[in-house]
Structure formats: structure tokens, C-alpha cells
Amino acid sequence: MSPGSGPHTAERRGRPRDSGTDSAIIETVLRLMEEGATIGALSIERIARETGVGKATVYRRWSGKDALLVDVMKSLEETAPPLKGESVRNDLVSCLEFARRRGLAKRSSAVLRNVLGQIHSNPGLWGQYQETVIATRREAMHEVLRRGVHTGEIRPGVDLDLLSDLFTGPLLARAVLRPDGSLEEGLQEGLSEQIVDTVLAGVAPPPVAGG
Amino acid sequence: MSPGSGPHTAERRGRPRDSGTDSAIIETVLRLMEEGATIGALSIERIARETGVGKATVYRRWSGKDALLVDVMKSLEETAPPLKGESVRNDLVSCLEFARRRGLAKRSSAVLRNVLGQIHSNPGLWGQYQETVIATRREAMHEVLRRGVHTGEIRPGVDLDLLSDLFTGPLLARAVLRPDGSLEEGLQEGLSEQIVDTVLAGVAPPPVAGG
């Protein structure tokens, strides 16, 4: 074994995997993606070199770039802050603010772009992105929307799938179609509130006559 | 700019460029992208081989892959059908239906994914995509929205930029985040109408008291 090929070549057997090295490799991929690299164009060799480890060290952990991308995706997962559960309107604003801050992060959008670029060569990757990232957020929002129907803030019979796209779509449009910072402009401070209030106004129950 | 201007050396020598070859090369790129290739991973050599021409034939027309991608983008441009101009609501539905059919086309979404993947290596490409594809559609919708404010279907003071994201965002969410055909399900037949009616209800002027 050549000297300098990494701290664990000699001590691998019987020892737990060094999670510091895992994180260092994932960090390298995130940095390179942020700088504009696509996972398709990155070689394991370059990833290893930029991390300062040997190629074998990477291959011992991941079978290839797609498997590595899955862990890169997971590394970005933050737990959404708990919702207050008082007003449906305010909880929706919190969901959108969480999504907006996420969309602001260069890392998340670089990962999204990379996943979208790799879908065709690995449809399973898309499934994992759905499960890891999208499904969880979607379910959190659906729960708030069901509560809104229950409390009477949203009229019954509204398609909740469409409703959640109405809330998140504008943020996505700004993140994907105008990647020039339209989510961060000072002007956009009240963006989430504006979206929630406009959409909620359209799905409120009709005013009760008489009163 | 001269009509039909583009990256052609052949014209300078007084020979009309063979537009059949241009289209054949563009068609090859579209087909390969539809099959899942990214422009970053495609070589000019492979593009030439699959078209049945020499590499030099491609390079005589385009300086490289990014320049070629610009013409691939342009080749997809369809003219939007003229709007009837009777009801703002119906014109908005037409705008959305046009966008929905576009999103259904595998070719458009393959090109969008490719452009998104190439932004970092060529920010100018994004500018061209904006000008060629996005700005035109956005302006068409803004015109309808301004008319809606004028006719009283939309209350004055609503942020038209946000409003157009509210209309197009849900389609984008379905095209980008659920590339499993959620734009084509039979169930989605009334999707554009549903989006337009929900959002319009939220931005209608308040009912006049008394009446």
C-alpha cells in the first residue's frame, strides 16, 4: 500500500468507518457543485484528489457517483422548524419561509439541478429525491391544509394537491427560472405572506349571507 | 441583423448554408437529449457521427456545444396562439394551456434541464434562454393581467410579477418536481381552469357594499 493514501488504509479492518472522511468527501462534492460542476462531468478521481484522499477511499464507501449523490442529497436535509399550530395562515407562511430560505441556499439549488440532470441515467435517483426531500415537505403542508379545511379557513372540496402547488409554485418559479437572486431581494421580504394571503383569499369559504 | 444570420462561415464565402444539414444536426441533439443525454456529456464527435456528417461540418456552423444549444433552444420556439381578447379569464386559461402543452413535450423539458445544467459554465446561455423563451411568454401574460386590472377583474395594486408566478408556478412545479406525467393525467384536463379561477378569486376587487 502506498504511503500517503489516507489515514485508514492500514486500519480499516474491524474499525468503524471514519465519518470525518465521509463528510470531507461530501463537502468536496457540494463545493464543486456550488462552483458549477455537474455530477455527470465530475470524476471520482477529481473528487478524491480535491478531498486529499485516494480513489479507493471513495470507492470503498460508494459504488459510484449516483450513490454518492444520494448521500450528498441527504446531507442537506434540515429538519423543518416545528409549526406553532395556532393559525393555519401563519403555519403556511412558516412552511413557505422554510422553502424560500432553502431555495436561497446555493447548495440546495446546485443539488436540485444535478438531480434533475441525472434523472434519465438513473430514474431511481429521482425516486430517492422525492422520498428524501419532496414527500416530507409536501406531507407537512398537506397536514396544515387539512387543518385549514377543518377550521373553516379553506372551503371544503378544494384540491389540496393543487393548493400546495399554488403555494410553492411561485417560489419554485423564482428559484428555477430566475436564478439571479429574485428570492433574496429586500423587496421579497414579505413574499411568503403575500403568496399565502392571495391564495387563501381565493379558497376561503363564501361569506355567509345575513350574519 | 441580417435575416437568417447566425454562426455561418459558409455564407461569407458566398455559398448559401445548407439548412437541411443544420436541422439534421439540431434534430440529432434534440433526440439525444430526449433520450437523456446532457449537452455537457455529449461530444461534438458523437453528434456528428449520429447525424452522419463530419466533425468539421458541425464546427463550421457552431463554435461549440453552447452555441449549438442556443440554436436547439430556438428551434423549439412555437408562436403562441393569438388571444381572443374577450375575457381576461379565458385568455389566462389559454396562456396556461399553451404552457402546459409545452411542459408536456419531452423535448422542451429536456432542453430546460440542459440549460439549467449549463448555466454555471455559461451564464450568457441563461440570458439567451430568458430572452428567447421566458421573457416573451411573461410579457404576453403581463399584458393580459394589465387588461384585467383595467376591466376590473383584478383589483389595482396587485403585484403583477407575483401574480404571473402564481399562475405559472403550479405548472412548473408539476413539470419539474413530478416528471412522472402529472401534467398529462386525464384528471388534469381542467387544471388550467382550476388554477386561473382559484387565483383570480383571490385577487378580485372586494364586492361593492350595497349594490
Side-chain angles (χ1 to χ4, degrees), chain A residues 34-36 38 112-113 116-117 119-120 126 130 134 138 159 161-162 165-166 169-170 172-174 176-179 191 194-195 198-199 201-203, chain B residues 34-36 38 112-113 116-117 119-120 126 130 134 138 159 161-162 165-166 169-170 172-174 176-179 191 194-195 198-199 201-203:
Chain A
E34 249 180 315
E35 290 166 14
T38 60
L112 175 60
R113 259 200 309 275
L116 289 173
I119 295 175
H120 278 282
W126 184 252
Q130 289 276 359
I134 299 175
R138 178 165 285 266
D159 176 341
D161 246 354
L162 174 63
D165 285 346
L166 277 168
L172 186 71
R174 282 158 196 239
V176 175
L177 298 183
R178 306 191 232 160
L191 180 65
Q194 254 187 296
I195 295 172
T198 307
V199 177
V203 295
Chain B
E34 249 180 316
E35 289 166 13
T38 60
L112 174 60
R113 259 201 310 276
L116 289 173
I119 294 175
H120 278 282
W126 183 252
Q130 289 275 358
I134 299 176
R138 179 165 284 268
D159 176 342
D161 246 353
L162 175 64
D165 285 346
L166 277 167
L172 186 72
R174 281 159 197 238
V176 174
L177 297 183
R178 306 193 229 159
L191 181 65
Q194 253 187 299
I195 295 172
T198 307
V199 176
V203 294

